[in-house]
Amino acid sequence: MEKINSTQNAKIKYWKKLQTKKGRKKENKYLLEGWHLVKEALMVDAKIEYLLVTNDFRYFDDIINTEIEQVEISSEVSLYLADTSTPQGIYAVVEMEENRQLSIDNLAGGWLMLDGVQDPGNIGTMVRTADAAGLTGVIFGEGSADSHHPKVLRSMQGSQFHIQLVNADLMEVATLFKENHIPIYGSELNEDARSYREIPATDNFGLIMGNEGNGMRNDLLNTTDANLYIPIKGRAESLNVAIAAGVLMFQLKA
């Protein structure tokens, strides 16, 4: 097993760049940090190029027999690569999956669409909830945070390996849904919108959630079959976008 102790090592500098959007895009790879996420990636046979581990990693025996190439790194290197303040001592260099092209042949199921949702914690919660609600996938529209951002990866807690994540133009997706008679719903903080309780559960649908501060774009609001509103019974001004998405997903999914 190769051992690397210096943060100035060329491989380490290369892997560090995978923490940036520019580096990920250039190399078509990303860095996965932490045992839970690496274990999930191993379980689904993700395209892992390297496993990077410290010699005191507590679950070392669980990975020693894998055929994936391993590199032993020092604690200093681990801290250098980490996006967290207390790294667990394990990383995976993973190849990105090819972005799926949506068509009538693969639209089945429920799809959550993110219109400019930017907070990594919100996105991770929404992906996890989509997974829990039995949706097919999550579509990242323009202006949404990168699905491979380290904080987004951690927040998704492995659900990214259970459902499909797609990058696409939401106007094009909305048109595709409508052409194929699949209902698509928006979300709107507007009492004149339709109450979410009026919409029957169904197997196939699209649900668009908008930006945390500005909501959905007007052009998208105008393309939907209905824009849904969650009545606020207390004194809170609004719901967090991830909480609202959870309520709507569980309501809509048959």
Side-chain angles (χ1 to χ4, degrees), residues 6-53:
S6 173
T7 58
Q8 299 306 306
N9 180 278
K11 287 184 178 179
I12 298 302
K13 288 186 174 182
Y14 169 80
W15 290 327
K16 178 67 174 179
K17 290 179 180 179
L18 300 182
Q19 296 282 37
T20 68
K21 185 174 183 178
K22 181 179 179 180
R24 291 189 293 272
K25 184 176 181 180
K26 179 180 178 181
E27 303 299 335
N28 203 38
K29 299 172 186 174
Y30 65 98
L31 195 64
L32 203 57
E33 176 184 346
W35 176 229
H36 177 71
L37 296 182
V38 172
K39 182 170 62 174
E40 288 283 347
L42 288 168
M43 290 172 61
V44 300
D45 293 324
K47 296 178 180 179
I48 299 175
E49 186 176 33
Y50 291 97
L51 289 174
L52 317 177
V53 294

Side-chain angles (χ1 to χ4, degrees), residues 212-232:
E212 289 89 343
N214 300 317
M216 283 176 56
R217 304 189 328 248
N218 286 333
D219 56 350
L220 281 172
L221 284 169
N222 293 332
T223 67
T224 62
D225 292 278
N227 294 314
L228 308 182
Y229 172 72
I230 301 174
I232 303 294

Side-chain angles (χ1 to χ4, degrees), residues 74-144:
S74 65
S75 296
E76 180 184 8
V77 170
S78 176
L79 191 60
Y80 174 74
L81 290 174
D83 189 64
T84 62
S85 57
T86 55
Q88 297 176 355
I90 185 165
Y91 306 82
V93 179
V94 188
E95 293 183 21
M96 291 185 185
E97 296 290 337
E98 185 176 349
N99 189 52
R100 181 177 184 181
Q101 300 301 311
L102 295 174
S103 69
I104 183 55
D105 297 324
N106 56 26
L107 286 184
W111 291 87
L112 174 65
M113 307 178 193
L114 309 181
D115 176 31
V117 181
Q118 297 175 342
D119 182 84
N122 283 337
I123 289 179
T125 298
M126 293 161 85
V127 170
R128 289 169 65 189
T129 307
D131 181 13
L135 270 66
T136 297
V138 178
I139 302 172
F140 287 66
E142 182 180 353
S144 295

